Each structure stands twice: as structure tokens, then as C-alpha cells.
Amino acid sequence: MRRSYVHGESATAVATAATIASTTTVTTAPTSTTITATTAATKLTAMDTHDITLTINGTEHDLSVEPRTLLVHALRDELGYTGTNVGCESTLCGACTVNMDGDAVKSCTILAVQADGTELRTVEGLRESGTFHPIQEGFQKEHGLQCGYCTPGMMLAATDLLEENPDPSDEEIREGIEGNLCRCTGYQNIVNAVEYAAEEMRADDTGSTETAAADGGVPMTDYEAVKEED
Amino acid sequence: MSTETGETETNEVETSESSEVALEDVFGSAIERREDPALITGEAEYTDDIQRPNMAHMAVLRSQYGHAKIEDIDTSAAEAMDGVIAVYTATDIEEAGTPGDLPVGWLLPSLKTPSHPILAGDRVRYQGDGVAVVVAEERYLAQDALDAIDVEYDRLDAVVDPKEAVEDDAPAIHEWSEDPTDTETEDDGEAEEVPPNVAFDWEIGDADATDDAFANAAHTVDIDLTNQRLIPNAMEPRATVAEYLPGTEELEVHMTSQNPHLHRQLMAAVLDVPEHKLHVVAPEVGGGFGSKIHHYPDEALTAWCARELERPIKWTATRTETYLTDAHGRDHRTHAELAMDEEGTVTGMRVDTYAGMGAYLSTFAPSIPTYLYGTLLSGQYDIPAIHCQVTGAFTNGAPVDAYRGAGRPEALYVVERLMNLGAKEVGMDPAEFRRHNFIPSDDFPHETPVAVVYDSGDYEPALDKALDMLDYDELRERQEELREEGRYLGIGFSSYIEACGLAPSELAGQLGAQAGLWESGVVRVHPSGKVTAFCGTSGHGQGHETTFAQIVSRELGVPYEDIEIVEGDTDEIPQGMGTYGSRSAAVGGSAIATSSQKVVEKARKIAAHQLEAAEDDLEFEGGEFSVSGAPDRAMTIQEVAQQAYLAHDVPDDLEPGLEETSFFDPENFVFPFGTHAAVVEVDPESGEISFERYAAVDDVGNQINPKIVEGQVHGGIAQGVGQALYEGAEYDSNGSLMTGSMQDYAVPKAEHIPEMDTDSTVTPAPQNPLGVKGVGEAGTIAAPQAVVNAVCDALEPFDVDHIDMPITPEKIWNAAENDDSQEEI
Amino acid sequence: MQFDGTFELDGTTREEVWLALSDPVLVRNALPGCEFLLEVDDESPDFDELRERAAETDDEEISMDPDVIAERSFEEGSHYAALMELGVGSVKPSFETVVTIAERDFPDTVATGEGDASNSSFEMESSMHLAETDDGVGVEWATQADVFGRIAQMGQRVINPVANRVVKRFFQRVQSQLDDFGAEEPETAADASTDPEAGLTGKIRDRMGI
């Protein structure tokens, strides 16, 4: 009997389920495999700290972090931006999604030192001058949240999607938020919330190109610069 | 799979801002949730968001093996690390004189209750067992130190399948008694001896009558079903922040709880802390689905460390830890049979189930595969004889307890798979077969042969509505046409019933519950007429602050905006049983409705006194008391409140103030029901399933907020679809969890869940003042068998009778491939 | 977990492969992450002592001389201790591994082993069969492994590629050893071309007791 070496025959039901769990690559996060915060940190004790600068929702913060400190822990534990949640420490659930220099990223698998010098937007920066961002309005009006734990990440992923595709179809929205898990809503009202926001934002845009109520502290020009580099 | 979108109207409810809704319409309107602003701005505070000065972090070292003896634990290297404050093992807990053993909250006559220590001492029985805890100055350091703990294990054989676990040669997971005759009897002919891993044997129904029904049956069908292990997957992992105040000897515990009072009661016993010195708070809680009902070791350990070290301590589970330790759901192996007469009338049902309990008995575990399962096996049908036997089995897996639906999804999966097979056997359409066997609408209250009295029900309208939504007859024609083209459409029904708001306490006590099942509600009208209402339920995404304010607004005639709802704090709320089992509206809502009514009665006395009228002559409407026939002699409830606190002129026999408390103990369960229908297309070659339609008709009684009802139905269906097609916890034969992360356990993504078309019928519940039932679990109970029935219907030409969940493309491919009838083509 | 496969080694004979895979020195050099591989008396050696022993011992020369290899060859029933560093995901645990040669009967080998690292461990049984192919030798291998602890929690989809990578690199290095040897062969064993049985193959069979 001849068996191919490369395809070791080790498939089980697990692998099938896993295939589904991973049929979609996580487009929003530059990352590798399953790395928990704890394993990433293993055996890196007593280390130096690095001074970094993070601009969060328009405010500049200087802080010292260990090389292994994850961005999400710097945001939450060091700087008190606790709106960004941790759900899986492995990029799979998307609860920790924030916007970094114009792109949605998963802050649980980015080191704080990698984010040095970047401009970040978190859920705390969505509301401006006492006015809800259209995505926030959409989530409330369409009942797009229940326990709310995935919501900050979901909204940040959604604003990134709408930045790239201002008029997405249902299917495009479902694809666009594939890196973000919600266990409460069954997603349908999240899709509706994103559609609501898309309509509102398009309506805003037709009024004036300067309106862009969407970006909460991150100037439009920065988005464009990043897009071109990509 | 993929979803077809945009073709159908999904009948979604539109929300309104509360200011747009007239006072008399508040109850029943789809008001936007008042919880949302804090949640969409990041302002809401979840447990891990809490910071305390001088706070330390705890991490738990868990067993490397599914089953092993602990030979030795060496913590010295970990203790020597910089930043490590303490390392504790079971020995430390014992030496401190802490009881440290988790109790079981539901007992059965035959139940064997093993000790469940908060840290394992000499033996680990599943991978989630904690062996040691580290407390360190900082989150990462605590994790680092775990690696420095050296544990010497002697690995033992494990067993993970509930049916295999109770075979004679299975490795024994618990030692039962010091009495050697009990467990160590060697082949001395005691044939009656119960295998060591049997947790309980339980039965319900009339075995003889059921045997007779089968003996006389014209048709019978039978099926073997696996209801797979599921991991709840609340998005927020479990977490605790505990703080000890030496001055007052108070222990304050913020934790991810669905029932803070229950956690207080249990933790007080586990840690030997006086209940009045233990303050438990459930801050914002990011979903639970049952997993945050139970009392786990970790929360108690955090509190223990806080008291021991007199420092605030935080513990937050990693996702892998939640997978290893959160109580799992389901895990049944069942053989089920259905007996019918010539006309296709069901005459009997026989069910034999092995239920995996995991390594220990979780808080309410024994009730789930028994009273919450066996009692629902009559479904919506008039079945004269049912017998159900359940064997609970210890296995080397995470404890199994209530997970959204808790016993009822398992029951309805059995019933509704049998109904499909029965219809096929007698050659009837599955919808008509169901209708033929429904309990007639004039037969309520209806007593089933499994010890439950359905107080109300009207099943045909829900089925008819679902059939209309599908355009059923035309759909069946299309199915035929498509089959000619080699395309396989399937239609699956699930006519489900649910018993929720478990009650009354007296009955629960007779069945073994170690707790009452009432709920408390306090309504406090402030002197200004503003209102704060307190309830012992503890929402974590269900929108209680909105719906309960809608209830109080209707009862008191006070504007919705003037009402605040408080839950989840043992210092603020008298007592409570928490949120689970779809009980909050029916039991908790009824408690605050009852308190509101008491407030109105007291206010009526004050108003009558002030208006110099007889109480009976006062009318109360829209928040105003007026004298019948003299509408200008009137007083608003706000004015009454002011008078109640001024107390300058209230009736002599009345105390000042305007606040009432109720403990509402319902007379019975409530019984939501409905019919869900899934329409799928299956590609037998690729094994792909795509949803064409998902229609849900639910009767949850009166709806306080239809948008919230819709959201609950959606979420429930998504979890049910998840079970049907994607999810499943897998252990290898050593008890190692193979699905230990979201990489290997498929929590459905947006593209995996179909568009859901929801509608309802309304049969008010007769047993509570609101006429409400429960909706939290409906979708999860209904959906799995709707999907499985649809897939099996699609594969009917391939002679596929059954595919176990989760129905992966591989399973479909194998089922279709192995079909003999097709090979001849 | 079950892993198996066949690795094709071209331009060689079963005897040469048997010779190569009988040599603890070659195996140690070919195994990715293997810090030492030492024969031990029983199944529970003191790894601290072994680390010192390994540090003091000079590396032995790789050789394809049957005389040399026969001296140090794996033997049925003997135990070997190895320190193996494996990169799994982002962690790189060092496994203290003990292997027992359960069966050695040309062309079949069966070995059992256990490895322990911080919070992770494994138990395995491996078998290997050398089959003649048109181009050389097919090494048919199968391993039944139970993995425990933190590594196990990373899931099969992390572990499988690691296992496959280790095996692949191992055989690639074995192949390159054989290739190096093959390049030298004409000079060192000129007779081999005329009568293989009488040449190297015969010598291997003779010295290795095949």
C-alpha cells in the first residue's frame, strides 16, 4: 500500500469542523496561527520595556510596554480603553477589532510595540461631539446587539467594510464580518444594522465630501494614503 | 454552505424610540433597547474591565491529562519567580480549613454525588481540573509561573463516551465509598451492582402501557440518535474580580454570573463565608447561554485568594480554558421508538438514553437529562403511552449542565426525528402527520403521560402559518421538479413545545431541586414619582432593563423614561434566582408586575384618603386615580408618591412610603410552542448544504417587546443551526479535548446562518399576570431537527434515513455515496 | 492521533537505508531539533545527568562504514534518551524523550517512546518498513501518537503540519546523507558496480546481521 507522505491520513470529524471554522481566512488581521496571549508570552520574563506612542481616537499616549505586551492589553490595562474586548486571544472571534491607520486589525495578535506610532480608533472614538456614528445608530435601531460583547469589534470591522464598499449587499456584509463572531443575534440584525449605517453614510456623503462623520479622529487623507500603499 | 438572500421578505419588526410611543402602548411596542448606548460606546463595564488599586492576577494550572493520579506537585520554582505572590494547591485549601467542595443543586433518588474539590488533590478526572493556582503581580507573569510548576502524573485510562462509560470494563472515574463491599467487590455474584460510572438511573412514564402499545402497533419505527456535546461559547469568557475588606470582613465578588444570589449562596458554603458578608455583583455580562449559571471552582478560588492575601484579585479565563471548563451541553446517546396504529395515530413512544455528565456533577446537571428532558417527550402530540429511561454516566470530559434549551432540545430532537420517520412509515406528509397527532385545541389543560400538564396550547395555527410562509404545496411540487433535474431540495419541520419558567417551588422541591424557583421583585416609587424596580433575575443580553421598564410603565402608568431597572447585585436586590430557563419575563417580570400592582393598591388607599372618596369609587388609568363620575377629582400617582413620603396626611393604618416587594412563585411552567420549517438544497456530490428558507412561527404568549422577541428567536435558531451543521466538542480516547479553540470548534459565522423569517401566534399564558411565556430558548429547541429533517428529506431519493449532527459535507457525501439504490443507476 | 506516509529515497538500496537508519549518530543529526541521542539503561533516565554527559562527549563522525555502524547500531530492546526541541505554533518546548526499540527485524522496525515537556507530553508508537521501489526505497512509516496538555490544545491542525515537517526534514537529511555517500561510493568500493551482492550490500548484510 502506497500512501502519500504529504497528506498524512489523520483526518477526523474534528478536521471537518475545523475546516468550516477556518474556511475563511481572516482578512482583517495580519497574523499566523493560533497563538494565545499566554503562549506568546512564555519564557519571556524579566525583559526590557520599550517606549512607544499610540494615538488613540486623536489623543496621543506615551507609554512603556514589554516587548510581549499585546496591543489589546496595552489599550485595556495600561490606558483604560476597556471598550475593546478580548474573546479568544487568537484572532478568531474579532471581539478585539480596532482600527489601525485606517484598517481594521485584531488587537489581540498585534504587539503593542508593532503599533508604535500608529493612529488607532477604538469604540470609544466612534461617537463624536455627542453624536452617534451611523454604525452605532444602526446597531441600536436594528437590534444588532444583545450582550454587546462582540459589538465594539463588530462595529469597527463594519466601518472598515463600509469604507471600502459603501453599498454592500447582504452577502458582502456577511463576508465582510466573517472574522467577527456573535453568539447572540444570529447575525441577521447585524447585517441590517450595517445596511442602515451604509444608507446613512451614503446620504451624509452626498451632502458634502467633507462630512464623513465616520472617521472619529482619523483624517480621511490617512485612510487614502494607506490604501495606496496596499 | 451559502445563504440565498434578498429574495424573501423576512417580516422583521421595526423599532421605535420610546419617546414616540404613547404611554398606553409602551407594553407591547418594539422600543429601542435602553441597554444599547452603554454597549455601543464601550462604556459598559464587564468583569475584566474592572481595575482595583494593588490588584493581583490569578491563573489556574489545569490538568495535562483527561484522567491521572497526581503523584507530586513541586511549586518551588514558580514561587521563586519575580512577581509571583503565591502558589496554592489543594493542600493549602485544606490546611486553611476551607470546605472547598462544590455542591450539587438538584438531587435524584439514585444519584451518586462525587466530591468536587475546587482544586484537585490526588487525582484529576478531566482536563479542566485545576491542580494549582498562581497569584502574581501581573497578568502575563501569572501565566509564566504556571509553566514553572512541576506536576508528576500517573496517567490512567480514560473514557469519554457515555455509553461506553457504563460498561463493566470502563475505567472507574470515582471511588464511591470507604466501604470495600461497595465498589471493590470482586466477582462474588452480585449481579445487581451498579457499574461505577453510573451517576443515576431514572425513568418516567408507564413501561407496561408502552410495551402494550408497541405489542399492538400496526407500524413502528426506531432510530439511534447522537445528540453531540456542545460548548456554549458566550463571547465573554468567565472572569472574576474579588476583593476582601479586612475591616468589615466583607468579601466582594464581581463575576460573570447569570444568578448572583445563587452564586452567593453556593460560594458562602464552599468558602465558609457568612452569606451576609459576601457581596456578589454581576456587572455587564457578555452572554451566558447557561454556562454562567453554574458554580465553578475558579470563581471560588479567586475569592479564596483575595481573602487569603487581602488583595484584590482578578481571574479571566482564556478561550481554551472556557472550552475546557465551561459546562458543556447535550451529550446524549439515544435509542427511540414510535408505535402507530393503521391510521397513523401515534400510540406509544419508548426512549432509552445515555446521558454524559462529565467528570463531576455540575450545579443543576442531574435535572437536565431527566426532568427537563423526559417530561417533554410528548411534544405537541396526544400520545397515550410513553416510557423513558435515562442512565447518567460519568466520563472524563467537562461537566455537562444546562446549555440554552437544557434537556428540551434533546427531547424535541427525539420527538421530531421520530415524527418524520413515522410519517414516512405510514406514507403521510410530515406536516399532515403532525397535524393528525396534535393535541386538539379543546383538550387543554392537557396531561401528558410524562407528568406534565400543558396549561394552554393551539398548535394548528402555528403550523398553518409556517406552511403559508413556505407556500408549502407549491414548494413540494418544485421539489419534485428539481429532483428530475438532479437537484435535491428538502423541507424539514419542527413542531416544538417548551416548558420554561420552571415552577412551582413546591413541585421542584419534590423533584429534587435544592432551591426554590420563585423570583423577587421590588418596585420603589420615589417621592418625585420616578421609579426604581429591582429584580432577582440577572440579564446578560436579553434586554431586561427595557422590557421590565415596559412592564412597570404599564402597571403604574408612569412614563417609561421615569423607570430604572436594577438587577445583578446581592446588596441591592432582596433575593433572586437569576436568569436561565427562559424564566425572566414569566417569573421575574411577573414579580415586578405583582409588586407594581401592590403599589397601585397602596396608592389607591392614599388617593382615596386624600380625595375623600371610597377606594372602590376610584378608577386608575394612565397613572391617574379619579373618582368615578367626577373626573376632575383626580390625583396622579406621582402626586400620591409625594404624599406617601410626606406622610402628613395618610390613612392611620398605613405606613409611609410607596414601595412593595413580591416573591412570585408561579403555579406551573409556561409552555411556549411553535413550528419551524427549514428548506435546504443539498448537493450530494459536494455535500454542500444551502438554505433556501428558514421560517419560524413561535407562540411565546403576549410579547412585551416584539423586537427583543425577534432577536431572541434569531439567536436561538443560530445556535440550533450551529448544532445541526457545525458544532461538536470532541475528545480523544484519553480525554484530551480535540476542539480546544475556535480554530477547531466551529462557532457559526455570519455566512453560515440563513436569513430567518419570523412570525408568531399569541396564546397568552394563563398562569401569570402578564400572559407571557418565554422566548430565550425557543429557537435552539426548535432548529436542530428542522434542519436535520430538511437534509434527510432532501436525501430521500438516496434512501438516507438519518445523519447525525453536525451534518458535515463529508457525512452527506458518505451517506449519499453509500446508497445502494443509486449505485444501480 | 494517527500519522503515516511513505517517503521515497531514490538511488539507494534497502540495505543502505537500513544501515543509515541503524546509526544513532546519523539519526541524531537528521532529526530536527534533536540536541542529543544517547543510549540509556532504563526508561527513566536522569536528564540533567544526560545533558552533562552530552556536553562532555565529542560528536562522533558520521560514517557509512558498516564496521563502524555495527558497533553503535540501535538494538532491539535498548533504550535511548533524546532531548528534542519542537516549535509548535509560537512555543518551542524541549521534550525529554525516551525511545525503546521494540522490534528490529530487517526490513521492519518498531519503536515506542514518551516525551515530556513543560505542560505537554506525548506517547507514541512508530513502525517503519523498507520497501523496494523502481527508483530505490520506499520508507513506509506510521505513528500512533497521543498528545497531552498545552500542545494538544492547539489542535490537530497545528500539530499535524509540525509532525509532517519533522518527518519530512528528517528523511530529506537522510536522503542527502545517502547522496553524499553515493557520490563517494565509486572510489571507496570499486567492486560494487560489478557485483552488488558481493560488495557493499553484502558487507552491510553481513555486518548488520541481516
Side-chain angles (χ1 to χ4, degrees):
Chain A
M1 183 167 88
R2 188 150 295 232
R3 285 159 294 201
S4 91
Y5 155 67
V6 179
H7 304 286
E9 292 166 11
S10 52
T12 65
V14 178
T16 320
T19 316
I20 294 145
S22 66
T23 38
T24 48
T25 46
V26 180
T27 49
T28 41
T31 180
S32 54
T33 51
T34 312
I35 304 166
T36 66
T38 58
T39 53
T42 307
K43 285 170 188 163
L44 292 170
T45 48
M47 60 196 80
D48 304 330
T49 57
H50 290 251
D51 294 335
I52 61 169
T53 304
L54 303 175
T55 305
I56 302 164
N57 307 322
T59 307
E60 206 173 281
H61 297 270
D62 296 322
L63 68 160
S64 285
V65 294
E66 290 181 19
R68 63 171 169 173
T69 302
L70 299 172
L71 176 58
V72 70
H73 287 139
L75 288 171
R76 290 176 52 81
D77 295 349
E78 307 291 327
L79 300 171
Y81 289 92
T82 53
T84 303
N85 294 321
V86 183
C88 74
E89 324 94 23
S90 53
T91 76
L92 296 163
C93 84
C96 66
T97 306
V98 299
N99 192 297
M100 185 163 98
D101 285 341
D103 285 318
V105 297
K106 296 189 175 168
S107 60
C108 78
T109 36
I110 291 182
L111 296 169
V113 291
Q114 291 175 295
D116 185 16
T118 59
E119 302 224 1
L120 297 156
R121 183 166 47 162
T122 67
V123 64
E124 288 92 345
L126 282 175
R127 189 155 105 138
E128 275 193 301
S129 329
T131 308
F132 282 130
H133 187 286
I135 195 70
Q136 291 173 307
E137 263 179 57
F139 269 76
Q140 166 139 35
K141 293 214 177 294
E142 299 293 338
H143 191 25
L145 68 153
Q146 291 180 26
C147 84
Y149 199 77
C150 75
T151 312
M154 197 67 86
M155 291 192 301
L156 270 295
T159 51
D160 188 53
L161 165 72
L162 295 179
E163 207 46 64
E164 290 175 20
N165 181 358
D167 189 13
S169 66
D170 271 20
E171 217 156 22
E172 287 168 334
I173 295 171
R174 285 178 189 266
E175 269 170 38
I177 58 169
E178 71 187 358
N180 293 66
L181 298 177
C182 169
R183 193 60 162 168
C184 291
T185 63
Y187 299 103
Q188 189 158 320
N189 286 337
I190 292 180
V191 173
N192 295 336
V194 178
E195 274 174 0
Y196 176 97
E199 271 175 44
E200 289 289 306
M201 289 164 79
R202 286 201 307 277
D204 282 355
D205 277 351
T206 50
S208 153
T209 49
E210 294 300 308
T211 317
D215 16 10
V218 183
M220 203 63 190
T221 47
D222 279 7
Y223 278 102
E224 296 311 319
V226 169
K227 293 273 140 48
E228 277 166 28
E229 277 169 33
D230 290 347
Chain B
M1 60 147 277
S2 61
T3 50
E4 282 185 31
T5 50
E7 285 178 14
T8 54
E9 278 299 314
T10 48
N11 201 22
E12 280 153 351
V13 177
E14 271 190 41
T15 58
S16 321
E17 289 179 29
S18 62
S19 57
E20 298 165 354
V21 180
L23 181 62
E24 62 269 26
D25 297 329
V26 164
F27 186 100
S29 286
I31 295 174
E32 288 175 11
R33 297 200 323 167
R34 53 168 58 181
E35 288 86 348
D36 292 352
L39 294 166
I40 58 179
T41 52
E43 186 184 305
E45 188 174 63
Y46 297 92
T47 302
D48 191 68
D49 298 348
I50 297 170
Q51 299 286 357
R52 290 279 184 271
N54 201 31
M55 187 171 77
H57 294 260
M58 186 185 91
V60 184
L61 179 68
R62 307 210 180 263
S63 173
Q64 192 165 322
Y65 299 103
H67 197 191
K69 280 185 182 153
I70 299 174
E71 301 282 340
D72 187 47
I73 307 175
D74 182 355
T75 59
S76 55
E79 279 162 6
M81 286 170 69
D82 282 348
V84 171
I85 301 159
V87 183
Y88 297 116
T89 65
T91 313
D92 298 296
I93 307 277
E94 200 177 309
E95 281 172 2
T98 308
D101 208 57
L102 298 178
V104 179
W106 197 297
L107 304 178
L108 304 170
S110 67
L111 187 71
K112 287 190 288 187
T113 312
S115 167
H116 186 183
I118 55 176
L119 279 179
D122 52 7
R123 183 134 161 215
V124 283
R125 295 178 172 85
Y126 80 116
Q127 276 187 305
D129 254 330
V131 173
V133 295
V134 169
V135 181
E137 295 293 348
E138 188 258 317
R139 211 189 274 269
Y140 294 178
L141 287 178
Q143 293 288 345
D144 289 346
L146 294 184
D147 284 346
I149 299 171
D150 193 8
V151 186
E152 214 175 287
Y153 296 97
D154 178 12
R155 188 166 76 78
L156 300 170
D157 285 343
V159 62
V160 295
D161 179 274
K163 212 168 167 180
E164 289 169 14
V166 295
E167 285 169 9
D168 286 339
D169 56 351
I173 295 167
H174 294 281
E175 283 143 9
W176 286 112
S177 168
E178 264 85 71
D179 176 8
T181 58
D182 195 21
T183 53
E184 292 174 25
T185 324
E186 307 239 345
D187 288 351
D188 59 1
E190 276 188 58
E192 293 300 300
E193 195 181 315
V194 179
N197 295 330
V198 172
F200 60 80
D201 269 312
W202 180 89
E203 64 175 327
I204 195 166
D206 187 332
D208 293 338
T210 306
D211 287 347
D212 287 348
F214 277 86
N216 298 318
H219 302 277
T220 62
V221 290
D222 73 300
I223 188 169
D224 286 304
L225 297 168
T226 294
N227 204 303
Q228 80 271 32
R229 241 182 202 265
L230 300 176
I231 302 178
N233 269 296
M235 292 310 299
E236 179 202 25
R238 281 189 299 119
T240 304
V241 174
E243 186 170 12
Y244 183 66
L245 308 166
T248 56
E249 297 182 340
E250 269 184 307
L251 191 54
E252 186 188 81
V253 181
H254 285 75
M255 60 185 281
T256 48
S257 173
Q258 296 181 223
N259 33 222
H261 289 86
L262 195 64
H263 274 126
R264 178 177 65 168
Q265 198 185 338
L266 296 172
M267 196 183 286
V270 171
L271 298 182
D272 193 20
V273 178
E275 197 173 356
H276 67 298
K277 291 290 188 185
L278 187 55
H279 176 199
V280 177
V281 183
E284 205 67 58
V285 175
F289 315 111
S291 67
K292 292 168 183 170
I293 301 171
H294 326 304
H295 188 21
Y296 299 90
D298 315 289
E299 289 81 350
L301 285 166
T302 315
W304 188 87
C305 291
R307 189 177 56 172
E308 200 69 12
L309 297 167
E310 298 191 355
R311 283 185 66 169
I313 312 271
K314 180 188 283 185
W315 165 79
T316 301
T318 63
R319 179 56 56 181
T320 292
E321 273 185 296
T322 72
Y323 276 25
L324 291 175
T325 64
D326 281 12
H328 292 179
R330 324 290 188 246
D331 204 19
H332 284 200
R333 309 288 180 275
T334 294
H335 182 73
E337 302 161 84
L338 195 69
M340 293 152 285
D341 68 11
E342 288 288 356
E343 281 76 44
T345 304
V346 175
T347 54
M349 181 189 292
R350 193 155 49 200
V351 176
D352 186 10
T353 294
Y354 292 84
M357 306 308 291
Y360 302 96
L361 295 174
S362 174
T363 312
F364 288 121
S367 67
I368 311 303
T370 54
Y371 290 108
L372 292 177
Y373 168 69
T375 55
L376 264 284
L377 287 169
S378 199
Q380 295 188 356
Y381 310 106
D382 191 359
I383 304 178
I386 299 176
H387 182 254
C388 170
Q389 159 74 39
V390 182
T391 305
F394 291 108
T395 64
N396 294 110
V400 176
D401 203 330
Y403 161 60
R404 200 173 195 172
R408 293 153 291 173
E410 296 92 309
L412 272 300
Y413 185 60
V414 171
V415 174
E416 289 300 280
R417 288 295 294 125
L418 282 176
M419 291 306 282
N420 254 43
L421 296 179
K424 193 175 169 187
E425 170 71 20
V426 300
M428 280 174 78
D429 175 272
E432 290 317 303
F433 183 71
R434 282 171 168 79
R435 186 195 305 280
H436 176 71
N437 282 290
F438 278 160
I439 298 163
S441 60
D442 58 3
D443 189 22
F444 289 92
H446 173 89
E447 186 170 358
T448 71
V450 278
V452 171
V453 179
Y454 297 164
D455 58 8
S456 59
D458 189 4
Y459 304 139
E460 285 201 52
L463 175 65
D464 286 334
K465 217 166 196 173
L467 295 177
D468 276 354
M469 284 159 85
L470 298 186
D471 209 344
Y472 185 56
D473 293 336
E474 196 179 300
L475 192 62
R476 282 288 181 204
E477 284 171 25
R478 229 182 96 220
Q479 180 184 34
E480 277 309 308
E481 288 162 19
L482 287 174
R483 273 184 193 171
E484 311 268 305
E485 299 169 22
R487 288 176 61 189
Y488 300 94
L489 203 66
I491 307 159
F493 293 101
S494 169
S495 293
Y496 76 97
I497 183 143
E498 175 185 1
C500 53
L502 185 52
S505 299
E506 185 187 353
L507 173 72
Q510 285 163 11
L511 303 182
Q514 302 298 294
L517 289 161
W518 41 262
E519 194 48 83
S520 83
V522 176
V523 173
R524 178 178 300 159
V525 186
H526 301 286
S528 62
K530 309 290 182 195
V531 179
T532 306
F534 305 80
C535 193
T537 50
S538 194
H540 40 282
Q542 296 87 346
H544 294 172
E545 289 172 38
T546 302
T547 49
F548 287 4
Q550 289 178 272
I551 293 170
V552 175
S553 175
R554 178 175 79 167
E555 298 295 335
L556 297 184
V558 166
Y560 169 84
E561 288 82 4
D562 288 355
I563 301 158
E564 189 78 15
I565 302 293
V566 177
E567 286 186 314
D569 187 326
T570 60
D571 274 9
E572 292 207 57
I573 295 129
Q575 291 294 337
M577 293 312 298
T579 288
Y580 48 83
S582 303
R583 70 189 297 276
S584 295
V587 192
S590 293
I592 58 170
T594 306
S595 292
S596 301
Q597 288 159 8
K598 288 183 187 174
V599 162
V600 170
E601 285 321 299
K602 183 172 181 182
R604 180 188 299 276
K605 287 190 169 70
I606 297 169
H609 179 79
Q610 297 245 331
L611 294 169
E612 296 175 337
E615 282 175 45
D616 291 347
D617 288 340
L618 288 190
E619 287 171 8
F620 181 64
E621 210 188 318
E624 189 175 72
F625 292 97
S626 61
V627 179
S628 301
D632 52 334
R633 285 174 63 200
M635 211 176 159
T636 65
I637 192 155
Q638 289 83 357
E639 289 165 341
V640 174
Q642 192 183 26
Q643 290 303 319
Y645 287 97
L646 279 173
H648 296 165
D649 187 19
V650 295
D652 292 340
D653 56 348
L654 219 57
E655 291 176 6
L658 195 54
E659 167 172 333
E660 295 290 343
T661 300
S662 302
F663 282 70
F664 184 79
D665 197 358
E667 288 172 30
N668 193 356
F669 294 86
V670 287
F671 297 95
F673 62 85
T675 290
H676 286 209
V679 183
V680 300
E681 184 172 346
V682 179
D683 178 348
E685 280 179 27
S686 67
E688 287 284 316
I689 299 170
S690 57
F691 276 94
E692 173 149 317
R693 200 79 194 274
Y694 192 102
V697 181
D698 295 278
D699 192 317
V700 299
N702 292 332
Q703 301 188 6
I704 304 165
N705 184 322
K707 191 67 184 176
I708 288 180
V709 167
E710 176 194 280
Q712 290 293 312
V713 170
H714 281 178
I717 293 169
Q719 280 177 20
V721 169
Q723 166 161 33
L725 300 183
Y726 306 111
E727 300 179 38
E730 299 268 351
Y731 286 92
D732 73 7
S733 59
N734 300 308
S736 290
L737 183 65
M738 306 311 285
T739 52
S741 75
M742 285 173 166
Q743 187 112 332
D744 294 307
Y745 185 95
V747 179
K749 300 173 185 214
E751 55 191 340
H752 295 142
I753 301 300
E755 283 242 330
M756 295 162 273
D757 191 2
T758 53
D759 206 338
S760 57
T761 59
V762 175
T763 312
Q767 309 278 4
N768 66 57
L770 301 171
V772 300
K773 303 181 193 171
V775 65
E777 297 161 295
T780 318
I781 293 169
Q785 55 275 8
V787 176
V788 175
N789 284 341
V791 172
C792 292
D793 184 53
L795 295 176
E796 212 253 313
F798 297 85
D799 264 349
V800 173
D801 278 334
H802 179 66
I803 304 176
D804 270 327
M805 304 183 290
I807 303 185
T808 57
E810 189 185 359
K811 284 185 190 170
I812 287 182
W813 188 82
N814 283 332
E817 187 76 359
N818 290 337
D819 168 42
D820 297 338
S821 67
Q822 293 298 302
E823 277 174 20
E824 290 161 9
I825 293 171
Chain C
M1 289 178 186
Q2 181 77 35
F3 309 92
D4 53 34
T6 299
F7 202 90
E8 307 286 351
L9 297 168
D10 295 342
T12 184
T13 64
R14 292 195 302 166
E15 287 77 4
E16 284 173 24
V17 174
W18 184 258
L19 180 73
L21 295 178
S22 296
D23 182 7
V25 176
L26 182 142
V27 168
R28 186 206 58 211
N29 285 332
L31 262 180
C34 181
E35 289 176 28
F36 60 74
L37 178 68
L38 297 167
E39 188 169 357
V40 290
D41 296 335
D42 56 40
E43 287 171 344
S44 44
D46 181 340
F47 269 84
D48 291 336
E49 218 170 83
L50 287 170
R51 278 189 186 87
E52 284 173 28
R53 200 173 113 194
E56 286 161 11
T57 318
D58 289 334
D59 283 353
E60 288 183 67
E61 291 277 314
I62 291 183
S63 167
M64 281 299 275
D65 182 342
D67 290 326
V68 175
I69 292 174
E71 283 298 304
R72 62 192 191 201
S73 160
F74 290 116
E75 277 176 38
E76 193 168 297
S78 58
H79 309 292
Y80 292 84
L83 194 65
M84 299 273 298
E85 194 181 67
L86 287 177
V88 186
S90 62
V91 293
K92 236 184 180 187
S94 274
F95 283 93
E96 296 180 349
T97 310
V98 178
V99 178
T100 301
I101 310 295
E103 197 186 310
R104 236 176 96 74
D105 186 8
F106 181 84
D108 289 287
T109 305
V110 177
T112 59
E114 286 186 22
D116 270 296
S118 163
N119 283 337
S120 296
S121 62
F122 66 81
E123 297 172 10
M124 52 157 256
E125 182 174 303
S126 292
S127 65
M128 194 171 69
H129 173 78
L130 306 182
E132 265 181 71
T133 65
D134 293 344
D135 301 321
V137 178
V139 183
E140 294 168 2
W141 63 277
T143 294
Q144 162 66 43
D146 290 317
V147 182
F148 304 96
R150 180 170 291 172
I151 296 281
Q153 284 153 19
M154 292 188 170
Q156 220 161 10
R157 286 166 3 91
V158 176
I159 296 170
N160 283 3
V162 173
N164 285 333
R165 193 177 66 221
V166 168
V167 173
K168 188 175 178 183
R169 287 204 189 141
F170 174 74
F171 283 115
Q172 278 170 347
R173 290 183 193 178
V174 170
Q175 172 84 67
S176 87
Q177 284 293 332
L178 290 168
D179 288 348
D180 289 352
F181 175 68
E184 292 166 20
E185 200 181 341
E187 288 135 60
T188 54
D191 298 342
S193 55
T194 52
D195 184 1
E197 284 302 318
L200 181 66
T201 301
K203 190 177 177 192
I204 295 170
R205 285 187 161 272
D206 176 47
R207 300 297 296 129
M208 300 300 293
I210 299 171

